[in-house]
Amino acid sequence: MVRIREIIDPDLKAKVIAKLAEWRGLTPGTVPEWFELDDADYVDLLQAIAEDERGGADELMDDDRM
């Protein structure tokens, strides 16, 4: 389990809160610091954030070898 308040990097914490708020239909200010994510949800959030930063779908999905 990962609690939002345990994320040390302030930039990453802000990105996680923003993405979580987007997924839940909330505003970032309403997501509490004590909110817990299980490991799978945290990984999904990190992957979604990385995909947003790359600007699209995972590049490996376009690889014909896969």
Side-chain angles (χ1 to χ4, degrees), residues 4-30:
I4 290 177
R5 70 173 166 237
E6 295 172 346
I7 301 172
I8 297 170
D9 181 357
D11 189 41
L12 178 60
K13 181 187 275 189
K15 290 176 184 179
V16 167
I17 289 172
K19 183 55 76 175
L20 183 61
E22 177 185 326
W23 285 3
R24 302 279 175 139
L26 304 169
T27 61
T30 60

Side-chain angles (χ1 to χ4, degrees), residues 33-59:
E33 289 272 320
W34 52 261
F35 194 87
E36 290 183 343
L37 299 159
D38 66 19
D39 293 341
D41 288 335
Y42 187 57
V43 169
D44 289 343
L45 271 172
L46 293 177
Q47 289 176 339
I49 291 167
E51 183 176 306
D52 288 349
E53 290 177 351
R54 282 193 307 268
D58 192 2
E59 295 157 2

